[in-house]
Amino acid sequence: RVLAGRGGDLAGRHVVVSAGGTREAIDPVRFIGNRSSGLQGYALARTAVARGAEVTLVSANVALPDPAGAKVVRVESATQLREAVLAAAEHADAVVMAAAVADFRPVRQSGTKIKKSAAEPDPIHLTKNPDILAELGETRRAGSGTHPRVIVGFAAETDDVLANGRAKLERKGCDLLVVNQVGENLAFGTPDNAAVVLTAEGDSVEIPRGPKEDLADVVWNLVVRRLP
Ligand code: CTP
Ligand code: CA
């Protein structure tokens, strides 16, 4: 496999990977969530460990075994994921945001379980969550604070996949954006993935359909090239 030939090209490096999907509480028993399984983020964490990195895996609501050798930080909401990622990113060479972060959360959370009654239910009002990837990029652009050298985002797009991806990479100020093609049984909950990695320089690297480990190794290859 690819790993064997890589030696420890991430030895001495600290990388942060976020994985899974956030849950935004409505009340103590209900949440707004998404379909992310965490498989791609866990594959990234495993392959980084195999390549010698110190790995912090910020994991949101996944049902997968901890990758051996990684430090796992469990979170539930986007707010918690933000705090864990930003804290770990201070000492990181690279951050890979593979997690599906909820764009919105309920403005208010009921402290008690919402009960049904004869009346129609109240609407759930939503507010925007902070954009963690954009914040990492912005901190770096401003040259303020300590920030990782390499910032990697993920995006699942449907229609104009490449144009949307290119705009997103620029908007968020990341170095690499892994753009998944959603549909045809790819991406969510499946062992395989296919993607195009866009770079800040305007290049694109196509990754054919294959195991999420293979995609992870291509991502780390591209990250390694950007590290001094
Ligand atoms: N992301 C993030 N914080 C958010 C939302 C997204 O850090 N609040 C990260 C994701 O982890 C991913 C990247 O941004 O690496 C792209 O996420 P995506 O949902 O595709 O981008 P959005 O900017 O939310 O745009 P869209 O309207 O297409 O959902
Ligand atoms: Ca989004």
Side-chain angles (χ1 to χ4, degrees):
R1 271 193 63 103
V2 190
L3 299 183
R6 296 284 161 206
D9 60 2
L10 285 171
R13 307 292 192 178
H14 177 207
V15 302
V16 179
V17 177
S18 70
T22 65
R23 292 179 177 178
E24 310 302 317
I26 296 168
D27 73 12
V29 296
R30 305 184 180 95
F31 58 83
I32 298 172
N34 64 68
R35 296 187 191 278
S36 177
S37 65
L39 284 168
Q40 185 61 66
Y42 274 55
L44 282 155
R46 276 197 307 278
T47 51
V49 169
R51 294 167 74 144
E54 177 194 343
V55 179
T56 303
L57 175 62
V58 180
S59 172
N61 311 298
V62 305
L64 297 170
D66 284 359
K71 180 187 174 192
V72 182
V73 181
R74 279 193 189 71
V75 298
E76 183 165 307
S77 66
T79 307
Q80 292 167 356
L81 189 130
R82 175 179 172 276
E83 288 192 1
V85 166
L86 295 185
E90 280 190 33
H91 317 283
D93 296 287
V95 174
V96 181
M97 285 293 297
V101 183
D103 292 327
F104 316 115
R105 68 175 182 277
V107 174
R108 278 178 295 101
Q109 295 172 20
S110 173
T112 54
K113 186 183 170 198
I114 298 167
K115 301 293 283 180
K116 65 176 184 277
S117 68
E120 284 299 305
D122 289 336
I124 297 170
H125 292 289
L126 301 175
T127 185
K128 272 189 187 168
N129 274 327
D131 189 322
I132 304 155
L133 185 62
E135 202 171 331
L136 288 165
E138 188 45 46
T139 305
R140 180 169 66 173
R141 194 157 31 214
S144 59
T146 46
H147 45 76
R149 180 165 300 258
V150 184
I151 302 171
V152 184
F154 269 72
E157 301 286 349
T158 51
D159 30 42
D160 204 343
V161 176
L162 290 185
N164 288 348
R166 177 62 53 203
K168 196 168 277 184
L169 179 144
E170 277 160 26
R171 190 165 71 243
K172 302 214 182 209
C174 50
D175 301 289
L176 303 170
L177 187 74
V178 185
V179 186
N180 284 127
Q181 290 143 19
V182 181
E184 290 166 48
N185 294 326
L186 286 169
F188 293 118
T190 65
D192 279 9
N193 219 345
V196 178
V197 185
L198 305 179
T199 77
E201 293 76 27
D203 298 326
S204 58
V205 179
E206 212 161 315
I207 306 176
R209 183 174 187 153
K212 288 181 175 175
E213 256 87 10
D214 289 4
L215 191 152
D217 267 317
V218 174
V219 171
W220 293 126
N221 292 346
L222 294 170
V223 167
V224 164
R225 282 200 223 156
R226 305 182 83 93
L227 290 171

